Amino acid sequence: MPRRAGNNLLLNQLNDPQREAVQQCDRPLLVLAGAGSGKTRVITYKIAWLLQKQGVDPRNIFAVTFTNKAAREMKQRVVELLGSDQPQGLTVSTFHSLGMNLLREEVEASGRKAGFSIFDPQDALFVVRELLRADLDDNGLVERVRNQISNWKNDLVGPSAAAAAAMTNPIQVAAAKVYPEYERYLQVCNAVDLDDLLYLPNIILRKFDNLRIKWQQRVRFLLVDEYQDTNAAQYQLVRTLVGAGNGLTAVGDDDQSIYAWRGAQPENLAQLQTDFPQLRTVKLEQNYRSMGRILALANHVIQNNPRPFKKTLWSELGFGDPVTIIAAENEEREAEKVVAGLMQHRFQNLGEYRDYAILYRGNHQSRMLEKKLREMHIPYYLSGGLSFFERSEVKDVMAYLRLVTNPADDNAFIRAINTPRRGIGASTLEALAEAGKQDSCSLFHAIESPRLHDLLVPSRQGSVRQFHHWLSDTINKADTEPPMRVIEGMLHDIGYQRWVTKQSASPEQAEMRWQNVEELLKWLRSLSSQPDRSLADVVAAASLMGMLDKDKEDNEANVVSLMTLHAAKGLEFPHVSIVGLEEEILPHRNSIEEDMIEEERRLFYVGITRAKRELTLSYANQRKRFGEVLDCQPSRFLDELDPQHIVWEEKLANDPAKREQVGAAHLSAMRALLR
């Protein structure tokens, strides 16, 4: 058990700017934290400082970030710092979790009832498709309308303002028409979507003075990680919660802002200086991750962007080797060279596969790399596959749980009522929908509507009434029995394991799918073990985590990592290769057309600063697209590299020592194949 860290010990483990940031508690603070400069350390040490030195009640400290993984890591570090003095009541969460907790506490002010459901993006798409009456999603209309509504909510634009703002853009016109109907649908279902977890708290705190004062008194200190990634709704929520107080600590790096496409506003960092006149700024520029040459290259690239906050990363880890640039005839040769170089380097240095990462701009670039890695029998992990919560068996169980805790959730009703199948066809569901529409009630409650007799013959009502009776009984059990007893009884009643077996292509697939269900049950059991947790609490927490936990658990296996540059943010590897340094790939074609080169340059900068010891860049002179071989132009970012920090692969190829190393690496690979 770690011992409580004394004040001097806390400060002695920090460099001067970090120490300044931790001790600054009486003014709003902006910490400009360069890549690898210890920003998480500053936040966790500041929490410990507030608790130990300032004597702040942990219930008045809130730390927010963007992923569950980051929140878990942050909370664990605080616990390790404080040892046995684990803070009770401290909030370390994502923005969306904070918003959900506020909504659950102020549910009446939100216009919802207790036990509301959270619609995930697929649920939201289904609703929009129904409202548009779109059988076929021509040219992505449904998704683009849904995205427009999402953008409006993130900009705190309600249905009335959206209607006034929509002009001639056909997507905006369609979205403005659907938006109020979409909101009514959510209310009828007693549901919110993911954007509402930020949108509705802002509305509540703006509308009700007593609630705003209540939350401002509770949130004395608010520490925000990755501030450059905040959108308008997140920024306004922070500003409202902090109020006129001095308890804000915003930590961010405008050079790593790479999420404008999903609403992030890096200008929020500069806006802090206007909204908080007493703001103090601290820069963290010492990098604890990368060799000096890698940082020099990154500094040289990013200076081509306009930067309101200039930082120069530096390191005490040594200078390191030049960055290697590989030019290949086509994408297959590029993959061969990158994989062969990785294999050679590992053979020469006796390294682990987990030390290597190959990064790219788009997921489609992974295919050729996977092919070459498989040919060389090199194990790899592909980030961005099907997430746990996207698996059909997990979504089935969660649909049932959402319905038990909120019978007004029509999306969950539609998924659950025929899983397993109960012989309830489309015409029966249409009759339920019409009865619900006429009575302004949910599909579940429409089963008891007298109107149903006029819409559905009695012989076809048996299955839905039987389902209604069973679900009503399960809902009653949820009020009196422990959550896990209800969940396990529910799965037994519907014979879900038999259904999974019946629907699987093989016994092996059935076993794998049921293992996913058991993993979900194990996790729900952990959630329900917390004191005073109702089934509704468990389901709400599980639903939200399923939507936000896109970052998979850390991959502990000894494998090469393949991932996009966006997915690599926050990670680090000793040896990194960035492939596809070509115009229309990096920078991406869409970004070139939309004049967003600066964000693409920041994305390249993020990729460079993932490397700890060595970095390789590559491009192809030709690439096959849609069956046609096209000539490629090297990325403009290659021209921005400082020549003194790079070396071209063909020069290395002429080095006799290097040729010998390559031959030895290939020989090693052949031996591995023979084994």
Side-chain angles (χ1 to χ4, degrees):
M1 176 70 69
R3 295 186 302 172
R4 174 186 175 122
N7 296 333
N8 290 335
L9 181 58
L10 272 175
L11 297 181
N12 288 341
Q13 297 180 61
L14 305 173
N15 63 34
D16 289 342
Q18 290 174 336
R19 192 176 301 118
E20 181 183 358
V22 166
Q23 291 182 284
Q24 177 59 62
C25 301
D26 58 0
R27 287 170 60 183
L29 176 67
L30 170 60
V31 181
L32 292 166
S37 63
K39 65 181 179 63
T40 304
R41 167 175 285 233
V42 165
I43 294 174
T44 53
Y45 274 62
K46 184 156 191 175
I47 292 172
W49 181 264
L50 289 169
L51 292 169
Q52 290 187 352
K53 182 67 174 177
Q54 302 295 315
V56 179
D57 188 326
R59 291 171 296 183
N60 296 134
I61 301 174
F62 289 71
V64 291
T65 186
F66 282 83
T67 67
N68 288 303
K69 177 183 173 183
R72 285 194 301 269
E73 179 184 348
M74 198 178 293
K75 196 160 192 175
Q76 181 59 34
R77 289 199 191 182
V78 172
V79 169
E80 290 172 357
L81 273 177
L82 299 178
S84 59
D85 300 329
Q86 296 185 16
Q88 299 299 316
L90 172 70
T91 297
V92 180
S93 70
T94 63
F95 268 105
H96 288 88
S97 295
L98 175 61
M100 183 185 74
N101 292 335
L102 191 153
L103 273 182
R104 291 179 69 81
E105 189 167 328
E106 315 300 349
V107 66
E108 292 183 9
S110 73
R112 304 300 195 273
K113 298 185 290 290
F116 59 80
S117 295
I118 305 174
F119 279 13
D120 67 16
Q122 287 72 37
D123 294 325
L125 278 174
F126 171 82
V127 176
V128 172
R129 182 174 290 109
E130 291 296 303
L131 295 174
L132 287 171
R133 296 171 179 80
D135 295 326
L136 296 175
D137 190 6
D138 296 331
N139 299 318
L141 173 66
V142 173
E143 186 165 4
R144 287 194 285 171
V145 167
R146 166 58 195 143
N147 288 342
Q148 180 59 65
I149 294 173
S150 174
N151 291 339
W152 276 329
K153 287 191 176 186
N154 286 326
D155 288 337
L156 301 178
V157 176
S160 299
M167 303 297 286
T168 58
N169 183 303
I171 298 300
Q172 288 193 352
V173 171
K177 183 178 180 180
V178 166
Y179 193 180
E181 299 177 49
Y182 176 81
E183 291 297 274
R184 281 195 294 273
Y185 187 103
L186 291 180
Q187 284 206 311
V188 168
C189 293
N190 191 33
V192 298
D193 64 21
L194 201 56
D195 300 311
D196 282 329
L197 298 182
L198 298 170
Y199 176 71
L200 289 177
N202 273 294
I203 301 301
I204 291 170
L205 297 178
R206 181 193 303 166
K207 185 176 180 181
F208 299 97
D209 293 343
N210 60 322
L211 298 182
R212 182 174 64 255
I213 294 170
K214 166 188 168 182
W215 279 87
Q216 286 177 346
Q217 290 175 341
R218 181 180 299 181
V219 183
R220 282 189 57 206
F221 289 92
L222 180 60
L223 301 93
V224 185
D225 191 16
E226 304 286 10
Y227 208 86
Q228 77 281 350
D229 293 336
T230 55
N231 59 29
Q234 289 159 336
Y235 183 91
Q236 187 58 45
L237 184 61
V238 167
R239 188 178 175 190
T240 301
L241 289 173
V242 172
N246 295 317
L248 174 65
T249 298
V251 182
D253 181 7
D254 53 324
D255 291 334
Q256 296 189 76
S257 180
I258 57 174
Y259 295 114
W261 50 275
R262 69 182 191 194
Q265 299 177 343
E267 60 269 24
N268 286 347
L269 285 169
Q271 185 63 32
L272 286 169
Q273 296 175 311
T274 301
D275 293 338
F276 297 91
Q278 299 300 313
L279 185 76
R280 185 170 180 176
T281 301
V282 174
K283 293 183 182 181
L284 304 183
E285 297 173 291
Q286 182 176 359
N287 177 286
Y288 293 92
R289 172 191 299 156
S290 304
M291 305 294 281
R293 197 188 292 268
I294 292 171
L295 298 181
L297 197 77
N299 289 331
H300 197 267
V301 166
I302 201 63
Q303 72 181 6
N304 290 282
N305 270 3
R307 304 163 73 205
F309 305 104
K310 297 192 186 305
K311 299 181 302 299
T312 301
L313 298 181
W314 59 277
S315 169
E316 293 181 341
L317 300 177
F319 201 50
D321 295 329
V323 172
T324 302
I325 300 180
I326 296 174
E329 299 94 298
N330 53 48
E331 68 263 43
E332 183 169 6
R333 282 291 293 145
E334 179 190 34
E336 285 177 356
K337 287 187 173 187
V338 168
V339 172
L342 184 156
M343 185 174 60
Q344 170 200 336
H345 188 278
R346 178 177 173 273
F347 170 78
Q348 180 183 349
N349 295 278
L350 302 177
E352 301 279 354
Y353 285 123
R354 65 169 59 92
D355 293 339
Y356 300 85
I358 305 177
L359 311 181
Y360 37 80
R361 179 63 175 85
N363 281 307
H364 67 279
Q365 294 172 260
S366 70
R367 295 174 194 142
M368 188 60 70
L369 292 163
E370 289 186 82
K371 178 176 182 290
K372 296 304 175 183
L373 288 166
R374 286 195 300 268
E375 287 176 357
M376 294 294 183
H377 285 216
I378 296 176
Y380 66 89
Y381 167 76
L382 180 65
S383 177
L386 189 66
S387 77
F388 178 75
F389 283 91
E390 290 170 336
R391 300 184 185 280
S392 61
E393 57 273 14
V394 174
K395 289 180 74 72
D396 287 345
V397 176
M398 289 304 300
Y400 270 98
L401 294 179
R402 284 167 49 189
L403 192 57
V404 168
T405 55
N406 178 18
D409 189 336
D410 282 355
N411 284 27
F413 180 94
I414 290 169
R415 187 175 188 106
I417 196 164
N418 268 328
T419 307
R421 292 193 181 95
R422 296 179 173 86
I424 299 170
S427 58
T428 301
L429 291 176
E430 287 174 359
L432 284 175
E434 183 60 29
K437 181 179 179 181
Q438 293 182 21
D439 285 355
S440 297
C441 67
S442 68
L443 296 175
F444 171 76
H445 293 104
I447 296 174
E448 292 188 310
S449 170
R451 298 180 190 274
L452 190 62
H453 293 288
D454 301 327
L455 298 165
L456 194 64
V457 296
S459 62
R460 299 177 65 183
Q461 295 180 24
S463 295
V464 291
R465 292 196 180 281
Q466 185 177 1
F467 180 73
H468 185 279
H469 176 76
W470 171 80
L471 185 58
S472 298
D473 184 54
T474 305
I475 291 169
N476 291 332
K477 288 178 181 177
D479 291 333
T480 57
E481 296 183 5
M484 286 311 300
R485 185 182 300 172
V486 176
I487 295 171
E488 290 165 351
M490 177 192 77
L491 293 179
H492 177 268
D493 290 347
I494 65 175
Y496 189 69
Q497 187 170 9
R498 291 194 303 274
W499 166 256
V500 167
T501 301
K502 184 178 178 181
Q503 294 300 306
S504 299
S506 65
E508 292 78 16
Q509 186 188 62
E511 182 180 2
M512 186 178 301
R513 292 183 64 192
W514 186 248
Q515 285 177 354
N516 289 332
V517 175
E518 290 181 326
E519 182 64 26
L520 175 63
L521 294 177
K522 178 182 177 183
W523 188 58
L524 292 171
R525 191 173 291 110
S526 174
L527 288 175
S528 66
S529 66
Q530 300 182 28
D532 302 322
R533 275 227 161 169
S534 67
L535 182 60
D537 294 332
V538 171
V539 173
S543 297
L544 180 59
M545 192 162 296
M547 289 176 227
L548 297 182
D549 218 6
K550 298 304 182 186
D551 45 311
K552 292 181 179 292
E553 292 299 319
D554 291 335
N555 178 38
E556 296 296 338
N558 186 23
V559 295
V560 174
S561 293
L562 299 183
M563 65 183 68
T564 65
L565 288 160
H566 283 98
K569 187 171 181 295
L571 303 179
E572 58 184 42
F573 303 91
H575 314 286
V576 170
S577 297
I578 304 176
V579 301
L581 264 294
E582 300 147 34
E583 290 292 297
E584 300 194 355
I585 293 183
L586 184 64
H588 194 274
R589 180 191 303 118
N590 293 345
S591 297
I592 295 172
E593 293 172 353
E594 297 170 12
D595 195 23
M596 295 181 64
I597 298 299
E598 292 170 13
E599 175 145 334
E600 292 291 296
R601 187 176 286 110
R602 291 195 292 267
L603 187 59
F604 182 40
Y605 173 85
V606 166
I608 292 172
T609 53
R610 298 312 93 195
K612 297 171 71 173
R613 295 204 291 272
E614 290 171 303
L615 175 67
T616 299
L617 310 175
S618 69
Y619 68 92
N621 290 312
Q622 290 186 327
R623 197 172 289 271
K624 186 178 290 186
R625 293 178 187 167
F626 308 110
E628 183 181 359
V629 176
L630 302 176
D631 291 333
C632 302
Q633 181 181 350
S635 171
R636 68 191 71 188
F637 298 150
L638 291 172
D639 294 332
E640 297 176 0
L641 300 177
D642 189 339
Q644 65 177 314
H645 299 308
I646 62 176
V647 61
W648 290 82
E649 177 235 11
E650 59 260 31
K651 293 182 179 179
L652 294 176
N654 294 326
D655 184 337
K658 288 291 182 182
R659 285 202 301 270
E660 184 178 343
Q661 291 168 3
V662 171
H666 280 286
L667 180 60
S668 173
M670 291 300 297
R671 287 171 177 163
L673 289 173
L674 290 171
R675 286 198 298 270

